[in-house]
Amino acid sequence: MHPEPTRSDLSAPRSHVAVVGGGVTGLVVARDLARAGLRVTLYEAETRLGGRVRATDVAGLRCEVGAEAFATRGGAVAELVTELGLADQIVAPAALGSWLVSAADGTAVPLPPAGAMGVPAAPLGRAARRALGIPGAVRAAIDPLLPRRIGAGSVTLAELVRARMGARVLDRLVRPVTLGVSSTDPERIPLASLAELSAARAETRSLTAAARRLRESAAAAGGAVLGLRGGMSALVDALAAACHDLGVTIKLGTPVTSVTPLPSGGLALRGGVSEVHADAVVLALPEGPIRQLLSDASAAPAQSTPVEVIALVLDAAHPAVAQLAAAPRGTGALVSAPASPAPASSAPASSSPADPDIVAAPRAIVAKALTHVSQKWPGIVGEHREVLRLSYGRAGDPPATAALGDKAALELALQDASRILGTPVPASAVLGFARQPWQMPVRSARPPQEAPSGVHLIGDWSTGAGFAALIPAARQLAQRLATSLSEFTTPHTLTEQA
């Protein structure tokens, strides 16, 4: 637990910390520092808080177009939610299961029980046999019989899975999960970033047993999730309100472009603000902006994957939509990548191929995942709406929707939804839709250059993606920083110079 800190005498000079970045990570750091009695200013370049957590109004409904849930592992997120007074807003998804859909032909099978990143916990189970075929299931099932040295030198998740369980597990299960959940190919996920999986495998001596243990302990990334009745944007609202109540100064639309040490001690921040001095700075930012702030010109460019989320609100009373009430794909589906990329759009011969409002039927499903929001989170949406959410953009490639205008993007989303769900989703049923592009970070094999003294770095490029990784890391950083700054006897006076 994180006990309520004893705040120092607020009439005494207090150390000043500048937090750069108003996503969930920055807000958590700012709140905890303020609770410890420090003076905190938070700078956010955008005109809103939340980072990749965002809700937007679609046909009168508040729809999440960013992160929609949190993994339960570790308990850190639930603990924070409880501290913020939102415990009664925690909801569990419906126990409907998910599906795996072939991009090539739309063939759908239930997603087998998995322990981590799609690694099957029961390779010979019925669901795994359907997804892998008998040869693939048998190949995966011999994993516990293989010598421990097999896969011992693996650096990435892909190398380990291929060596221990075979190519079918990698391509038909693990790849769709990693692309759907973190927009990252398993070849780009270092084993060093999967601490729970690595530890469980070391103890159990096989990948199958490790997956089973993680599933049983609900420790798998994405294996057990919860949400909030008001969506994850409610967490941002609660954090912002808590920061305000604790006296945190929040400055929106205020980019910071440089952080430099001062000869007299402390740090100077410059950019969209007049020069500000602080005793410490926390950069709660993506890897690219951190490299820019630290002038890390010698490093390779930060890597990220562009994705786009499209939310559809449908009229549940429409005859074609009635089929969706039966949740034909449970809470949603992951789409296996086609063997070769299919064109997202092509124009008729009489039209310009660059026309952003024309899309032809693709040869394969283009979306990488679909969430049936109204079935996954029952009771939140209401009786007269069905809500679907599709994700586009696979590792290394821009989303197929990026070059499309709204009309064509909607048409593509409806085509994909119809094929994934196995039932028509016509345009006449659409009450509204929204689209939101994002840049998803790829975890770096090498962190940015060493930060100047007093500058602290945090982000999912270093901790791994997801609230369950970011929130405990943010709280630990705030605790360490508050402890170190409590030893200051001459904190810097806040100055702003034109």
Side-chain angles (χ1 to χ4, degrees), residues 408-422:
L410 174 59
E411 184 179 346
L412 177 62
L414 291 172
Q415 290 175 0
D416 283 346
S418 298
R419 296 194 65 192
I420 293 171
L421 294 167

Side-chain angles (χ1 to χ4, degrees), residues 2-8 31-37 83 475 482:
H2 290 263
E4 185 71 34
T6 301
R7 301 187 67 186
S8 59
R31 170 184 177 266
D32 279 9
L33 289 173
R35 290 173 78 221
E83 289 179 15
R475 306 201 76 173

Side-chain angles (χ1 to χ4, degrees), residues 5 13 70 89 102 139 169 236 247 268-269 276 291 295 310 351 366 436-437 452 470 487:
F70 61 90
Q89 298 300 304
S102 168
R139 169 64 183 88
V169 170
V236 174
L269 292 81
V276 173
R291 291 192 186 279
S295 300
I310 293 182
S351 303
V366 181
Q436 176 64 51
L470 281 165
E487 300 174 1

Side-chain angles (χ1 to χ4, degrees), residues 144-238:
L145 305 178
L146 295 176
R148 194 170 185 177
R149 67 176 183 275
I150 303 297
S154 299
V155 176
T156 67
L157 177 64
E159 292 173 359
L160 179 62
V161 171
R162 185 182 288 110
R164 300 290 311 184
M165 305 191 83
R168 288 198 182 187
V169 170
L170 175 62
D171 293 330
R172 297 190 184 185
L173 296 180
V174 173
R175 193 179 308 282
V177 169
T178 63
L179 286 172
V181 173
S182 60
S183 302
T184 306
D185 266 314
E187 286 82 2
R188 302 176 75 178
I189 299 179
L191 287 175
S193 69
L194 302 175
E196 296 95 343
L197 178 62
S198 298
R201 179 174 169 259
E203 294 176 7
T204 61
R205 302 175 66 87
S206 83
L207 198 52
T208 305
R212 188 176 300 118
R213 171 177 290 189
L214 291 179
R215 181 172 180 80
E216 291 171 352
S217 66
V225 299
L226 295 171
L228 295 176
R229 195 171 304 280
M232 292 309 295
S233 54
L235 175 62
V236 174
D237 295 341

Side-chain angles (χ1 to χ4, degrees), residues 242-262:
C243 285
H244 179 270
D245 292 344
L246 289 163
V248 175
T249 300
I250 296 178
K251 297 194 174 185
L252 300 178
T254 309
V256 174
T257 57
S258 72
V259 178
T260 55
L262 291 166

